[in-house]
Amino acid sequence: MDRIEFFSDAVFAIAMTLLVVTLVIPATVPAAGLGHALHELSGQLFAFALSFVVIGQFWIAHHRLFRLIDRYDLGLLWLNLFHLLGICFLPFPTELLGRYFGSDVAGFLYGGTLTVTSLVGASIWFYALGRQLVGSVDPDVQRATTFRATMTPIAFAIGTAFVPLSMELAVVIWGVLLPISRAIVTVAARARPPDTVV
């Protein structure tokens, strides 16, 4: 289990680092034009910040899951690899979203990546439950984890569906997942000792 978590943490860290690689101001830009160049980069900076938070949320969810999962099999390893595949791919649609913010194609690719990645992440939890790879878990924590795993891909899919109508609204829907997830954890963690909170 330690090798799975260490390897996954490394992939998350690399993906988050790669997000910043595309934020480049040409060396030919003079000092007087730096402000304009930064303004031109504002869309990519926003996409970077959004994806950094989203990948961070995926990492937190992954960390929580693997605090509850105490055994693994080959199926779980493959599901985890497919989840990491989505995480590794995310810097590409992030760059497209930043460069072509008003494009439906860029929006659908970005939202689709988020939806599929979160769906595979959720399948890790449901697979582990079905294969009895989960240790002794408080029923309230299990329900909260199941609800969060179910809600996340649905919310990403709903946000993606709004891309043709309003890219801004789609981004808002994608962005509210973090506080919603935190609220669920807070409610589920009430009236229990701190060491059981996930």
Side-chain angles (χ1 to χ4, degrees):
M1 292 300 297
D2 286 344
R3 292 187 66 188
I4 296 173
E5 293 184 60
F6 291 154
F7 175 74
S8 300
D9 285 348
V11 172
F12 277 102
I14 292 171
M16 295 176 83
T17 303
L18 288 176
L19 290 173
V20 78
V21 172
T22 59
L23 301 178
V24 178
I25 294 179
T28 55
V29 174
L34 182 57
H36 177 72
L38 286 172
H39 177 73
E40 290 291 316
L41 205 62
S42 59
Q44 290 173 264
L45 286 169
F46 173 78
F48 159 77
L50 175 64
S51 291
F52 191 89
V53 171
V54 168
I55 293 180
Q57 178 184 324
F58 278 133
W59 176 77
I60 292 171
H62 189 275
H63 173 69
R64 287 171 176 158
L65 285 184
F66 278 85
R67 285 186 61 185
L68 304 177
I69 299 172
D70 60 7
R71 295 179 299 280
Y72 69 92
D73 60 13
L74 186 60
L76 186 73
L77 291 177
W78 276 108
L79 284 174
N80 191 57
L81 281 175
F82 283 125
H83 183 57
L84 296 178
L85 173 65
I87 298 298
C88 287
F89 182 71
L90 193 54
F92 174 64
T94 297
E95 181 181 5
L96 294 181
L97 184 69
R99 289 181 180 273
Y100 310 101
F101 187 78
S103 167
D104 288 353
V105 174
F108 278 126
L109 181 60
Y110 186 82
T113 301
L114 297 182
T115 302
V116 173
T117 301
S118 61
L119 190 61
V120 178
S123 70
I124 293 175
W125 171 245
F126 291 113
Y127 179 86
L129 281 178
R131 301 286 290 185
Q132 298 182 338
L133 305 177
V134 178
S136 178
V137 180
D138 183 279
D140 288 339
V141 174
Q142 180 173 323
R143 280 193 293 269
T145 304
T146 299
F147 182 73
R148 186 191 305 115
T150 304
M151 176 203 68
T152 304
I154 292 175
F156 278 138
I158 292 173
T160 304
F162 276 92
V163 166
L165 300 177
S166 170
M167 185 70 75
E168 290 78 7
L169 181 57
V171 168
V172 169
I173 294 173
W174 295 330
V176 298
L177 291 179
L178 187 60
I180 288 176
S181 297
R182 185 58 192 168
I184 293 170
V185 173
T186 301
V187 171
R190 285 176 180 171
R192 77 183 70 254
D195 60 348
T196 65
V197 178
V198 295

